[in-house]
Amino acid sequence: MKRTHTYFKGIKPIAFEGKESDNPLAFRYYNPRQKVGKKTMEEHLRFAVAFWHSFGGMGTDPFGAATKTLPWLSAKDPVQRGYNKIDAAFEFMSALGIHFYCFHDYDLVEEGSMLNQSEERLQKVVAYAKKKQKETGKQVLWGTANLFSHPRYMNGAATSPDFRVVCHAAAQVKNAIDATVELGGANYVFWGGREGYLSLLNTDMKREQEHLARFLHLARDYGRKNGFKGTFLIEPKPMEPSKHQYDFDAATVIAFLREFDLMDDFKLNIEVNHATLAHHTFQHELQVAANAGLLGSMDANRGDYQNGWDTDQFPNNVYELTEAMLVLLEAGGFRTGGINFDAKTRRNSTDLVDLVYAHIGGMDTFARALLAAQAILDDGEYVSLRKKRYASFDTGDGKKFETGKLSLKDLHALAGKAGEPELISGKQEYLENLLNKFV
Ligand code: XUL
Ligand code: CO
């Protein structure tokens, strides 16, 4: 069962060489052990690889067949393919110096034709992954169940109108939680691509959302009873593949968690391209989650300014990620979460080394953003300008308003007394330039 095969031939461990380096197979900014504030870069960023895109993505799209040859998928036996995929992933993580990975149940091994066959396969591959983790120190950032690919989920999984489908989804989640616990995973994710609807004409939305809440309670109870001490994460997305997904955005998910009493166990996994599909910025979604104390983890990628779908490209926008890193740092950073590259190389990027370039680029971009954000916070002007904007609430009547000591009538009286307030600039361009100084 053990393999010593090399899939990424000729790729030596990627080293930090500094920003003057011409070596395309080196980091220019990501220097894992460099201190940024109180933590090292690797402690801040906690990068993870995504099994589905990086070791399962073949380059198919709705218009065309696979373009990529993934040598670890060439074995005849599905369990052997699972072992080989794990070998490839661990080899890749070692080369990049990435310590975490994320998986769906059926990324680890293909689903069988019967539930018990799938379970047997999964247990074998999980045992192998556990052994590899022991040998290498690599860890699971999060596990999840694929509740969207199989045709049975075409009407939803936990929200399917067919109870038999809900049972299948539950079985998968039970097994995926077991796998996550067995592998010591720090988080368990729910992304509900099919938990939503295509048409209200055939949908009892209220009943479906109650089923989703019931399902999450059962999963939480099972996990807690069976040794899962990590964080449960919900990953918002507004649409695709459902026309309307119930976990639309961070605010919607937080309201749902509050309504159904799930706030103590669940946090949010915010994905860049999901935020932009919801017509928000990534930093907006992070801030909404942070304000509720629910900023759990991130799925890193980027959309496309012209296309309106989930293109899942690797991140490369330092300016935008600097804003995101400001939110993360001000919220105190990750606890159990991290940065999972839920991103894929383009369909015509067909060399294996393209996967290495993609991750180097993503990691360097986040490293630059982290450095810039920390420098902005250390400089302090950004923080003090924002604080100053609210200075009228720091003392006097403004403070009384904040502490609930004034009525609407009191405010009316104060308005009459104060006269028309003078205009105070929001200084947006000044702040944008300030950010630019540090990126
Ligand atoms: C889909 C997506 C998923 C989740 C895990 O848009 O982001 O890959 O991250 O199911
Ligand atoms: Co994702």
Side-chain angles (χ1 to χ4, degrees):
M1 141 171 158
K2 175 121 171 71
R3 310 230 101 200
T4 48
H5 199 89
T6 304
Y7 291 108
F8 295 90
K9 291 192 183 72
I11 305 290
K12 301 202 182 69
I14 307 300
F16 169 71
E17 293 186 4
K19 75 175 182 198
E20 306 306 329
S21 172
D22 283 330
N23 179 2
L25 289 171
F27 294 118
R28 297 201 179 84
Y29 297 90
Y30 182 62
N31 185 7
R33 273 166 277 286
Q34 182 180 333
K35 270 269 174 84
V36 181
K38 290 203 175 74
K39 292 193 272 187
T40 63
M41 272 197 193
E42 70 182 353
E43 286 165 346
H44 274 289
L45 299 168
R46 294 168 58 84
F47 289 125
V49 293
F51 255 62
W52 51 103
H53 285 313
S54 292
F55 308 105
M58 311 277 287
T60 55
D61 73 11
F63 300 91
T67 55
K68 305 189 195 213
T69 311
L70 304 179
W72 47 88
L73 297 185
S74 62
K76 281 214 169 64
D77 171 51
V79 174
Q80 188 62 53
R81 281 200 291 278
Y83 296 150
N84 294 356
K85 195 193 265 189
I86 287 168
D87 283 339
F90 275 68
E91 189 192 323
F92 184 82
M93 287 190 276
S94 295
L96 269 297
I98 294 178
H99 303 306
F100 296 95
Y101 66 102
C102 299
F103 63 84
H104 299 85
D105 46 358
Y106 299 140
D107 299 326
L108 292 181
V109 69
E110 287 135 63
E111 184 169 8
S113 51
M114 303 278 286
L115 182 62
N116 60 357
Q117 187 189 34
S118 305
E119 283 172 350
E120 256 172 55
R121 286 183 184 179
L122 196 59
Q123 279 159 12
K124 284 186 188 155
V125 174
V126 165
Y128 186 62
K130 190 172 177 178
K131 186 166 154 275
K132 297 280 288 196
Q133 284 186 204
K134 262 211 184 111
E135 285 166 14
T136 59
K138 304 293 175 206
Q139 294 168 47
V140 169
L141 184 67
W142 49 262
T144 188
N146 180 332
L147 302 181
F148 44 90
S149 295
H150 194 283
R152 78 172 76 90
Y153 298 124
M154 68 177 188
N155 292 307
T159 62
S160 169
D162 181 347
F163 177 60
R164 294 168 308 173
V165 175
V166 176
C167 294
H168 259 278
Q172 258 187 263
V173 168
K174 178 199 167 292
N175 292 335
I177 290 176
D178 288 344
T180 306
V181 170
E182 185 66 13
L183 295 172
N187 306 274
Y188 183 87
V189 162
F190 290 89
W191 172 65
R194 307 254 178 220
E195 313 293 19
Y197 63 84
L198 299 173
S199 168
L200 263 188
L201 293 175
N202 61 10
T203 303
D204 183 337
M205 194 204 287
K206 187 167 190 294
R207 206 164 176 187
E208 289 198 3
Q209 288 191 299
E210 284 164 2
H211 291 174
L212 181 57
R214 167 87 57 214
F215 189 94
L216 293 176
H217 271 270
L218 297 180
R220 189 268 320 268
D221 293 346
Y222 177 81
R224 292 301 181 225
K225 245 187 231 144
N226 289 277
F228 181 64
K229 297 196 175 61
T231 314
F232 289 100
L233 297 169
I234 307 252
E235 184 175 321
K237 186 176 182 183
M239 67 194 91
E240 197 203 14
S242 296
K243 172 187 158 49
H244 181 102
Q245 209 174 298
Y246 292 136
D247 298 330
F248 191 91
D249 62 1
T252 311
V253 171
I254 291 165
F256 176 90
L257 293 176
R258 208 169 262 140
E259 178 178 356
F260 292 105
D261 193 23
L262 289 160
M263 296 280 281
D264 291 342
D265 296 273
F266 285 78
K267 287 191 163 65
L268 274 65
N269 182 37
I270 303 292
E271 177 162 328
V272 184
N273 207 167
H274 296 181
T276 50
L277 276 178
H279 293 287
H280 298 306
T281 60
F282 182 42
Q283 49 274 30
H284 168 91
E285 288 291 85
L286 294 172
Q287 190 67 61
V288 170
N291 292 348
L294 297 182
L295 177 47
S297 203
M298 287 181 194
D299 269 13
N301 54 30
R302 74 179 205 274
D304 179 285
Y305 286 123
Q306 285 73 45
N307 291 345
W309 65 88
D310 197 12
T311 59
D312 281 348
Q313 295 170 86
F314 273 81
N316 69 359
N317 191 327
V318 182
Y319 197 99
E320 281 179 6
L321 287 187
T322 300
E323 288 197 46
M325 284 293 117
L326 280 171
V327 179
L328 179 72
L329 290 178
E330 289 200 287
F334 292 123
R335 285 171 193 86
T336 59
I339 298 172
N340 167 45
F341 285 110
D342 194 353
K344 56 189 174 203
T345 53
R346 296 304 84 191
R347 185 166 188 267
N348 56 356
S349 297
T350 46
D351 295 338
L352 278 188
V353 71
D354 293 328
L355 198 60
V356 181
Y357 293 137
H359 282 80
I360 290 174
M363 292 163 80
D364 261 349
T365 307
F366 267 97
R368 285 181 80 171
L370 173 69
L371 287 165
Q374 184 66 47
I376 290 164
L377 293 177
D378 290 345
D379 170 76
E381 192 183 358
Y382 157 77
V383 179
S384 70
L385 278 178
R386 194 182 46 190
K387 188 165 181 334
K388 222 171 98 193
R389 210 163 167 232
Y390 298 87
S392 60
F393 294 95
D394 289 343
T395 54
D397 291 325
K399 186 160 189 178
K400 280 194 201 151
F401 164 79
E402 272 200 351
T403 49
K405 294 197 177 101
L406 296 180
S407 69
L408 197 66
K409 259 177 94 179
D410 294 332
L411 301 188
H412 172 268
L414 287 167
K417 226 171 39 187
E420 186 59 33
E422 80 276 17
L423 301 182
I424 303 173
S425 169
K427 289 271 172 265
Q428 181 171 326
E429 296 76 11
Y430 181 89
L431 283 157
E432 285 168 352
N433 295 354
L434 187 116
L435 216 87
N436 215 7
K437 205 167 90 183
F438 292 94
V439 296

